[in-house]
Each structure stands twice: as C-alpha cells, then as structure tokens.
Amino acid sequence: MPIPNNFSDNELYNLLKQDSEEAFNLLYSRYWKKMLFKAMLKLQSEADAEEVVQDAFIDIWKSRHTIQIQNTFHTYIAAIIRYKVMAKIANRNKVIHYGVADIHELHVVDNSTQHWLNFIDLRSEIEANISALPEKCQLVFRMSREAGLSDKQIADNLGLSQKTIEAHISKALKALRTSIGQLLGTFLSLLVLFKIF
C-alpha cells in the first residue's frame, strides 16, 4: 500500500528506519531542491552542491537504524548539509594550501560520516542544555539565537529591561560553555571561520 503524501517528515523517517525505500524517496523528493539551493548559496558550485546533498542522503540511508532525530527531519538534514558544506570548503582550502603540484601526494581519509554524526550529537547536546535552562532564561535565549531578535525587541516583547535580557543571555551562554566546554568553542570557531550559520 503506497504511503500517503500527507505523512509528516518524522512519520516518513520512522518508516525509513524500518527500511522503507518509498519513505526515503518521499523525503528525498521533499528536500532535494531545498538542500541543493542551500548548498549552492555557500559553495557557488552546482556540481559541489549536488555532491554534498547526494552524500547527505546516502549517509541518512546508511545510518537509518542508529540515528534518533531529536527535533525535526528538516533540522536534521539541514545540519548535515551545513557540516558537509563546511567540510567541502575546508577541503578546498586544503587544496589551495598544498598547491596543484602536491595534490597527488594528499592522502585524505574520509571520516565525513563520523564527523557529521558527532555534529548531530553536539547539536543534540546543545539543545538538551538549552532545554535545562530556567524557563525565562531559555525563552530569552531562543528568541535571541533562534528567532534572531535583538535585545531591545526581546525586551519590548516580554516587557523586561534590556539589562535583564542581557543578563539572561549571558547566563545561558555561561551555562552552555560550562556544560559543553572546549568542544563547543571549537565548533563555534569553525562555524564563524566558514560562515556556515
């Protein structure tokens, strides 16, 4: 019996985990063009963008039995694409650094699957730590980092002073740094370096 088109992404992912190729194809159809567009914006190369998106879906299929989605499939696939774009840019920079004459001497081990699994784990860890913040602190932090609102906009929306908003954000960042430590610092540095977010 065919899968209805109105199935949610997460319903399809649950079927995918049970080896449903039809569910995989439906998710592929829903997200291929969106993710290709995202990748092309960063990479400025259709061929590289296609490779990144193709690899992401291959990884999803290979890891279907082991990966648990914490939020939405959209967040999940977007995170994988961001990582793979970052890795592609890093690889380009490596090639430029070594020069064309040295390319044949490069022996790069492809650990991309493990890297993006670590990436997803880190995102899950960050989300868990944000969820553990006090309710008002969590709300302010999400409005700042996820909704992209300024301190003033958040203050106006919540009827609080900007100083209070700044204090909540500072408290949230301190808690994240403490709980995730150097790993988060390295992760954020990479995102800034490659302008992924």
Side-chain angles (χ1 to χ4, degrees):
M1 180 178 173
I3 300 172
N5 282 329
N6 63 353
F7 264 38
S8 70
D9 292 343
N10 283 10
E11 285 175 318
L12 290 175
Y13 188 74
N14 286 334
L15 291 173
L16 168 62
K17 288 170 65 176
Q18 299 167 34
D19 301 328
S20 170
E21 290 185 24
E22 185 183 358
F24 176 81
N25 290 333
L26 284 170
L27 287 169
Y28 185 92
S29 298
R30 284 183 190 180
Y31 284 98
W32 170 259
K33 286 185 180 178
K34 292 178 187 175
M35 295 302 114
L36 184 63
F37 180 72
K38 279 179 178 287
M40 282 181 64
L41 282 177
K42 296 293 182 186
L43 295 170
Q44 298 297 305
S45 163
E46 186 173 356
D48 284 350
E50 285 183 356
E51 181 183 342
V52 160
V53 178
Q54 192 71 36
D55 285 350
F57 276 100
I58 289 170
D59 285 348
I60 286 172
W61 177 258
K62 287 179 178 177
S63 303
R64 66 192 181 279
H65 296 139
T66 56
I67 298 298
Q68 299 292 327
I69 293 181
Q70 301 295 322
N71 298 299
T72 65
F73 182 80
H74 178 269
T75 302
Y76 176 66
I77 182 78
I80 298 170
I81 296 297
R82 286 188 194 103
Y83 169 75
K84 286 190 173 290
V85 165
M86 184 169 61
K88 179 67 73 175
I89 292 170
N91 193 52
R92 282 179 182 173
N93 291 340
K94 186 181 293 184
V95 170
I96 291 169
H97 174 73
Y98 279 98
V100 177
D102 299 321
I103 287 178
H104 295 298
E105 295 179 17
L106 290 176
H107 299 288
V108 180
V109 178
D110 183 9
N111 291 321
S112 59
T113 299
Q114 187 57 50
H115 285 319
W116 74 252
L117 286 175
N118 292 340
F119 179 86
I120 297 298
D121 288 344
L122 179 58
R123 285 181 63 92
S124 298
E125 191 174 345
I126 291 171
E127 176 59 32
N129 280 279
I130 292 172
S131 298
L133 293 169
E135 185 177 349
K136 186 61 67 70
C137 183
Q138 180 183 158
L139 175 61
V140 168
F141 187 78
R142 289 188 187 282
M143 290 175 77
S144 171
R145 295 309 192 262
E146 294 178 12
L149 300 180
S150 68
D151 291 355
K152 186 178 186 308
Q153 289 172 317
I154 299 169
D156 291 343
N157 283 336
L158 299 180
L160 299 171
S161 70
Q162 274 190 245
K163 290 273 188 193
T164 302
I165 298 304
E166 289 168 8
H168 278 307
I169 292 173
S170 177
K171 180 180 180 179
L173 289 172
K174 184 177 179 181
L176 285 173
R177 286 191 197 102
T178 301
S179 60
I180 300 172
Q182 190 176 354
L183 187 58
L184 176 61
T186 303
F187 171 73
L188 292 176
S189 297
L190 285 171
L191 293 184
V192 170
L193 178 63
F194 296 113
K195 299 179 181 178
I196 298 301
F197 283 128

